[in-house]
Amino acid sequence: MKFNKKSPWILHYDGSSCNGCDIEVLACLTPLFDVERFGAINTGNPKHADILLITGSINEQNVSVVQQLYEQMPHPKAVVAVGACACTGGIFKECYNVLGGAQAAIPVDIFVAGCAARPEAIIDGVVKALDKLK
Amino acid sequence: MTWVLSVLQVLGILIFVPIIGGLLTGVDRIISARMQSRKGPPLLQPFYDVFKLLKKEATTVNHATGYFVTGSVLFNILTVVLFCMGVDLLLCIFAFTLGCVLFVLAGYSSHSPYSFVGSERELIQIMCYEPMILIMAFGYYRVVESFNVGDAFTQNAPAIVKLPLIFLGLVYVLTIKLRKSPFDLSMSHHGHQEIVKGITTELTGTSLALLEISHWFETVFALGLVYLFFVYSAPFSWAVAAAICLVVFFLEIIIDNGFARVKWKFALTSSWIVIIVTGGANLMYLSLF
C-alpha cells in the first residue's frame, strides 16, 4: 500500500496573480469540497509538504523564493501549476518583469488549466500529482 | 514465570497504546470535521500520515535534534508503560516531564527562530500544567494513601468523590497537554504555518512521525490520569471510567473547535488561577476532614 498517496500535504504559494486561483484553492478546503476527505492538509510549511501548488506567474522577485521552497521540500515531492498564469504566465506573460509560468523556476509535474481554475480541477490535479510521488 | 508475564504485558502496551492513540486522533479529526460540516478524513488517516512520514526523506538541520526527539518519544513511551504496569504515579510524572524537556531541547537544537518561539512557549506550557499534575499526585496520595497507580483498583470508592475540584483543574490543564486550542501555543496538530507549528517547523520525515506517535502516547497518558479518578474495586467502574475518559476527550474536541488560540500570558495566568483555586481548595478540604 502506498501511504504517500493517502496523505498528500500541500504547500500553496502565490506567485503574482489576481488571487482568483488562490481563492479557488482555499475553496477546496471548505465544507463543499473538503480535500481533507483524501487526507490532504494545507500545511504552509515546505518541510512538511508533499505537493507544491503554485498559482500565478513567476517574476524576477519571486523566482528565488519558489526555488528555495522547492528545495526545502523533502523527497518524494510533486509540483502542480494551478491556473493560466502558473501554466504559461497567462495575461501577465508580456509584463517586463515576468519570466513565465512555474516552469520558469522549477520542474512542474501537473498543469491545471483555467482562469480561474475550478476547485474540482484543482483537486483532480492534486490527485493526478499523487501518481508522480515515488 | 512472572517476568514472562511482565514482558508480555509490556509488549501488549507497546502494541495497543499506539493503536488506541492513533484511533482517538482519527476520531478527533472526523468529529472536528463534522463540527465544521465537512466529511473529514478516513478513521485511519493518522496512521497513513505516520507511515508516509516514515518513508519521506529526512532533512536534519542539526543531528542532535534527532536524538532529542527520539529521547522524548522513548520517555513518553516509558511513562505509559510505567502507568499501565500500575507502579508509582510520581515516577510516571517524572518520566513524562523528562520527555517534555527533551522535546523542548529538540526545538532549541534546530537553530530556527520558529522552533525557538515554539520551545519557549512549550516551557511556558510546562509551567502551566506541571503544578496541577503534581497537585493531582498529592491529592491521589491523600485519598488512596499510596502513590501506586494499581492501588486505585483496591479502593472502596472512586477518587473523584474526594477530589472533585482537582479533577476539574486537571481537565482544564489537559487541554494544554492534548495540544488543543485555545492552548496549542507551542505546536498545533492542525495544518498551520511556522509560528503555530512551533517546535515541529524544522522536523521532517522520521522525526515528525516519531513525534506524532509520541503524541498518541501523551494522549493515552492524559486520559489515563482522568481514568484514575473514576476507577475503584468494583469491576463495572473500569468501563464507567473508560466511558468518562471518552466524554472528556469529546469535551476537549468541542473546546478545540469553539475557542480561538489565546496569548501565552492568558494561558499562564488562567491556568495558575485555576490550579490555585481548585487544587488549593481541594487539598485544604482533604487536610481538614
Side-chain angles (χ1 to χ4, degrees), chain B residues 71-85:
Chain B
S72 165
V73 176
L74 287 179
F75 275 101
N76 272 340
I77 293 173
L78 180 70
T79 309
V80 176
V81 169
L82 291 173
F83 188 82
C84 295
M85 300 288 275

Side-chain angles (χ1 to χ4, degrees), chain B residues 54-133:
Chain B
L54 285 173
K55 282 174 152 186
K56 283 214 63 139
E57 180 195 18
T59 54
T60 328
V61 182
N62 182 353
H63 285 295
T65 312
Y67 290 102
F68 286 133
V69 168
T70 314
S72 165
V73 176
L74 287 179
F75 275 101
N76 272 340
I77 293 173
L78 180 70
T79 309
V80 176
V81 169
L82 291 173
F83 188 82
C84 295
M85 300 288 275
V87 300
D88 201 316
L89 183 60
L90 284 179
L91 195 59
C92 301
I93 294 173
F94 294 148
F96 188 58
T97 309
L98 191 53
C100 296
V101 170
L102 286 172
F103 179 51
V104 171
L105 288 175
Y108 277 128
S109 70
S110 63
H111 303 298
S112 153
Y114 301 112
S115 301
F116 260 64
V117 171
S119 287
E120 264 151 36
R121 289 179 172 188
E122 179 72 13
L123 282 176
I124 291 167
Q125 288 190 344
I126 293 176
M127 268 171 75
C128 294
Y129 69 76
E130 199 69 17
M132 193 67 233
I133 293 184

Side-chain angles (χ1 to χ4, degrees), chain A residues 1 3-4 6-7 9 29-31 34 36-37 39 41-45 47-50 73-76, chain B residues 29 36-42 45 48-49 51-53 56-57 61 191-192 194 200-204 208:
Chain A
M1 187 186 272
F3 292 106
N4 51 11
K6 286 179 167 282
S7 152
W9 290 3
L29 302 171
T30 58
D34 187 27
E36 210 193 354
R37 280 179 297 157
I41 292 178
N42 191 8
T43 60
N45 181 348
K47 296 206 167 185
H48 296 177
D50 303 298
M73 285 169 64
H75 287 283
Chain B
R29 283 179 68 172
Q36 298 159 9
S37 54
R38 292 187 290 115
K39 186 170 178 289
Q45 189 61 43
Y48 299 152
D49 290 349
F51 288 128
K52 175 203 74 174
L53 287 170
K56 283 214 63 139
E57 180 195 18
V61 182
H192 266 298
E194 292 85 359
T200 57
T201 304
E202 297 292 326
L203 299 179
T204 55
L208 200 58

